[in-house]
Amino acid sequence: MALMIRNEGGRVEVVCGSMFSGKTEELIRRLRRALLGRQRVQAFKPAIDTRYHDSKIVSHSSLALEAEPVRDPAEIFARVRPDTEVVGIDEAQFFSHELVEVVQRLADRGVRVILAGLDQDYLGRPFEPVPQLMAIAEDVTKCHAVCTVCGGAASRSQRVVDTSHAARVQVGAAESYEARCRQCFEDPESATKVVTRAAG
Ligand code: ADP
Ligand code: MG
Ligand code: ZN
């Protein structure tokens, strides 16, 4: 896999996977390499994600990089400076579909755009707009966490708190999730159905 240091024109890179799979670490690694290559870099994160720090992207292993909190994709587009060469965006799944258009426009004008985000929600369903971003990307990296049950490669995020009234977006609750592989993942919806059937 060719991970560029020098910019040879605009492109889109997606780093995806479950929670704890190292997406943010990988995003920070790529942005730091771009900085080492003396490229002009800007990083963004959704303003709703204030888990650790307002103006930093922070990994679960405490790596950190300065980032601008933004409310929506239009704000990213407005904040990218004309001479910026590399744009990093963390937690891409928290943005609306508009992100796809913004990323296309930035890449079309020569910017290297690197996005990190969850490709599946807590039910194991594709988590928009990450699948759409994967489709338009020149390069996709799928990261895997370690399954907390069997130690295998985890692709899913298991919510380990009560999910009966839960929203799809539940920011900040890393302690409410576990990385699980396909075999160890328990579908919360089919679990509910089984309970309902048993009760009825
Ligand atoms: P992501 O952005 O994908 O949620 P991070 O890059 O923030 O992941 O964090 C990855 C780090 O999380 C790992 O290097 C490791 O230190 C830690 N970690 C905690 N639990 C796990 C797990 N189950 N599998 C892998 N890494 C884990
Ligand atoms: Mg992350
Ligand atoms: Zn497992």
Side-chain angles (χ1 to χ4, degrees), residues 135-153:
I136 62 152
E138 272 77 11
D139 183 273
V140 176
T141 300
K142 187 130 176 170
C143 301
H144 295 92
V146 177
C147 175
T148 53
V149 177
C150 75

Side-chain angles (χ1 to χ4, degrees), residues 111-164:
V111 178
R112 177 186 175 201
V113 185
I114 313 168
L115 302 118
L118 290 170
D119 51 3
Q120 296 174 44
D121 66 11
Y122 73 103
L123 296 173
R125 298 175 305 200
F127 205 157
E128 308 88 41
V130 176
Q132 286 76 12
L133 293 163
M134 289 164 76
I136 62 152
E138 272 77 11
D139 183 273
V140 176
T141 300
K142 187 130 176 170
C143 301
H144 295 92
V146 177
C147 175
T148 53
V149 177
C150 75
S155 55
R156 298 193 178 168
S157 311
Q158 182 88 56
R159 201 179 266 173
V160 289
V161 294
D162 175 29
T163 59
S164 47

Side-chain angles (χ1 to χ4, degrees), residues 147 149-152 180-181 183-184:
C147 175
V149 177
C150 75
R180 299 271 182 98
C181 72
Q183 281 69 37
C184 299

Side-chain angles (χ1 to χ4, degrees), residues 20 22-25 51 57-60 90-91 116:
F20 307 105
K23 303 181 298 294
T24 299
E25 283 179 350
R51 272 178 282 188
I57 291 170
V58 184
S59 77
H60 293 111
D90 200 10
E91 306 284 13

Side-chain angles (χ1 to χ4, degrees), residues 23-40:
K23 303 181 298 294
T24 299
E25 283 179 350
E26 178 61 19
L27 174 65
I28 290 174
R29 191 183 76 89
R30 291 186 194 184
L31 295 178
R32 285 199 174 148
R33 285 171 64 86
L35 288 165
L36 280 169
R38 294 195 194 80
Q39 304 230 307
R40 283 178 288 272

Side-chain angles (χ1 to χ4, degrees), residues 9 15 48 51 79 81 87-88 94 97 102 110 119 130 136 138-139 143 148 175-176 178 187:
V15 179
I48 51 164
R51 272 178 282 188
R79 281 173 173 265
R81 291 184 287 271
V87 165
F94 289 154
H97 257 94
V102 163
D119 51 3
V130 176
I136 62 152
E138 272 77 11
D139 183 273
C143 301
T148 53
E175 61 282 356
S176 333
E178 280 181 10
D187 183 343

